[in-house]
Amino acid sequence: MNYSPYLKLFEPVQEQLSGVYSTATLVISILLVLWALNFIVGLITKIFSLGKTIGTFYRNFIHRYLRILIYSLLNLFSRKKLAKD
């Protein structure tokens, strides 16, 4: 029994399925690109928020003490230079 005439009946179905496959591939690719962009934007937002929180904490509670320490160290070294001259 020869099945080739019956296979020719399935050619339009095969063409339709290949069109559906290419459309589905395009939709999946677009969704992956959008997901990646959303992921990157989410990371940027979270990192910015974390940096702002740490910066605010530093500025409100640590900066004045660290500034005094740095100025004291700089004055200590500059006084040693003046004493040698």
Side-chain angles (χ1 to χ4, degrees):
M1 183 170 204
N2 191 3
Y3 292 112
S4 62
Y6 297 115
L7 291 176
K8 289 184 181 182
L9 292 174
F10 288 117
E11 285 181 8
V13 174
Q14 183 182 6
E15 290 175 9
Q16 287 291 334
L17 288 178
S18 68
V20 169
Y21 175 77
S22 64
T23 304
T25 304
L26 177 66
V27 168
I28 290 172
S29 299
I30 290 172
L31 287 175
L32 283 174
V33 168
L34 289 175
W35 178 85
L37 287 173
N38 186 30
F39 181 73
I40 291 170
V41 168
L43 279 178
I44 290 170
T45 304
K46 288 178 183 177
I47 289 171
F48 174 79
S49 176
L50 179 67
K52 186 167 174 51
T53 303
I54 291 172
T56 303
F57 176 79
Y58 166 78
R59 189 73 180 166
N60 289 336
F61 299 107
I62 300 173
H63 180 71
R64 73 181 80 139
Y65 303 114
L66 195 59
R67 186 180 60 179
I68 291 170
L69 177 68
I70 290 173
Y71 283 153
S72 299
L73 289 174
L74 289 176
N75 286 334
L76 182 67
F77 290 128
S78 66
R79 285 185 187 165
K80 283 186 179 180
K81 280 187 179 181
L82 290 176
K84 287 183 179 180
D85 291 338

